[in-house]
Amino acid sequence: MQKAISIFSFTALAFLASCTSCPLGHKTTAKGKVEHVVLIWLKNPGDAKDRAAVIAAGKKFQREIPQVEHLSVGTPLASERPVVDDSFDVGLVMRFANAADLAIYEKHPVHVQAVNDVLKPAAKKLLVYDVVTE
Amino acid sequence: MQKAISIFSFTALAFLASCTSCPLGHKTTAKGKVEHVVLIWLKNPGDAKDRAAVIAAGKKFQREIPQVEHLSVGTPLASERPVVDDSFDVGLVMRFANAADLAIYEKHPVHVQAVNDVLKPAAKKLLVYDVVTE
C-alpha cells in the first residue's frame, strides 16, 4: 500500500512538473511554444448562434486534436480604451508545442471540416497572430 | 510517515485540480477569465534590444503583479498565410481571473512604470484584444 502511495505521489509530482500554469511558480509558458491567437468577425456581428457555433468548434479542436495543448475561447470584453479592439465576435488562444504541431493542426480533418462547415459560412474576417514564446 | 505521504498526495491533488492546463483533461480555460492579448510594433522594427526589453517587462509583470495568472510572451512566427499578421515585434498573452483583476493590473505601479519607461519610448503601435472565456 505504501509503495502504491509513493508511486501515486511520484506520478502526481511528474504531472505537476509538466504544468506551465500551476500555482507552483510555473506561470510562464515554456520557451519555444506557439500561442496561436485567432480573432473572428462574423458576417452577422454579435449573432449569438454563430458565436456559439464558432466557440463550439474551438472546443472541439481542443478535445479532438491532440496537438492543441491549451485553449481559451470566448467573446470580447468591451472597452473604451483606444488601443483595445473589441469589435471582433470570437477570440481563440490555442497553445502548441511548436510550429510543426501548429502545421499538423491546420491540416487535421477536424480543423479542415470546421473551417468549411462553420467558419467560412459565418465569418467575414479572420485575423491570426502566432507568438513563439521566449 | 504514511499520514505525511497521504497529506502530501492530497495537497498535490488539490494543486492539480486548480490547474487549467495540466495533462488531466483540464486543457480549456475556465469560464469567465480574461485573456489579455497585446501586440506591440516597435519604432525600430525587429530591434533585438528593444524586443528583449519589452519581453523582460512582460515577465516582470508576471512575477510582480499577483493578478497575472499566466503569461506567454514572445516574437512572431513568420507566415505566408494572408490571414496571419506576423508584422508585430512582441506578442503577450496574459490571463486574469476577471475584468476587475485586469483593471487592477493596468493601474499597478509596476505596469505603469514599464509603460512609461519601456513601452512608450520603444513602441510605435500597440493593439489589444481582451477575450472573456466561455
Side-chain angles (χ1 to χ4, degrees), chain B residues 6-114:
Chain B
S6 297
I7 290 171
F8 170 79
S9 302
F10 180 79
T11 310
L13 258 189
F15 271 128
L16 280 172
S18 73
C19 293
T20 56
S21 67
C22 297
L24 282 176
H26 303 283
K27 297 203 301 179
T28 306
T29 299
K31 188 176 162 69
K33 296 197 181 249
V34 175
E35 288 281 17
H36 180 60
V37 178
V38 184
L39 289 318
I40 294 152
W41 285 261
L42 294 174
K43 288 173 188 162
N44 302 312
D47 186 87
K49 202 178 144 205
D50 284 352
R51 280 187 173 187
V54 174
I55 289 168
K59 291 187 176 177
K60 192 177 180 186
F61 298 161
Q62 183 264 311
R63 281 196 314 272
E64 299 189 9
I65 306 180
Q67 283 74 23
V68 179
E69 288 191 351
H70 187 269
L71 165 78
S72 293
V73 60
T75 53
L77 178 67
S79 175
E80 297 299 319
R81 296 178 62 207
V83 294
V84 179
D85 183 350
D86 59 2
S87 67
F88 64 95
D89 282 282
V90 177
L92 299 102
V93 182
M94 308 171 92
R95 192 178 310 140
F96 295 89
N98 48 50
D101 272 13
L102 172 61
I104 291 169
Y105 154 82
E106 276 163 2
K107 288 172 191 151
H108 193 287
V110 169
H111 179 241
V112 172
Q113 192 184 347

Side-chain angles (χ1 to χ4, degrees), chain A residues 5 19 21-22 27-29 35 59 62 68 70-73 75 77 81 83 85 106 128 130 132 134, chain B residues 5 19 21-22 27-29 35 62 68 70-73 75 77 81 83 85 106 128 130 132 134:
Chain A
I5 293 174
C19 292
S21 67
C22 297
K27 296 205 300 180
T28 305
T29 298
E35 288 281 17
K59 291 188 176 178
Q62 183 265 310
V68 180
H70 188 270
L71 165 78
S72 292
V73 59
T75 53
L77 178 68
R81 296 178 63 208
V83 293
D85 183 351
E106 275 164 3
V128 175
D130 290 321
V132 183
E134 286 281 335
Chain B
I5 294 173
C19 293
S21 67
C22 297
K27 297 203 301 179
T28 306
T29 299
E35 288 281 17
Q62 183 264 311
V68 179
H70 187 269
L71 165 78
S72 293
V73 60
T75 53
L77 178 67
R81 296 178 62 207
V83 294
D85 183 350
E106 276 163 2
V128 176
D130 289 321
V132 183
E134 285 282 334

Side-chain angles (χ1 to χ4, degrees), chain A residues 4-51:
Chain A
I5 293 174
S6 295
I7 291 170
F8 170 79
S9 300
F10 179 79
T11 311
L13 257 190
F15 270 129
L16 279 173
S18 73
C19 292
T20 57
S21 67
C22 297
L24 283 176
H26 304 284
K27 296 205 300 180
T28 305
T29 298
K31 188 175 163 69
K33 297 197 181 248
V34 176
E35 288 281 17
H36 179 60
V37 178
V38 184
L39 289 317
I40 293 151
W41 285 262
L42 295 174
K43 288 173 189 163
N44 301 313
D47 185 89
K49 203 178 144 203
D50 284 352
R51 280 187 173 188

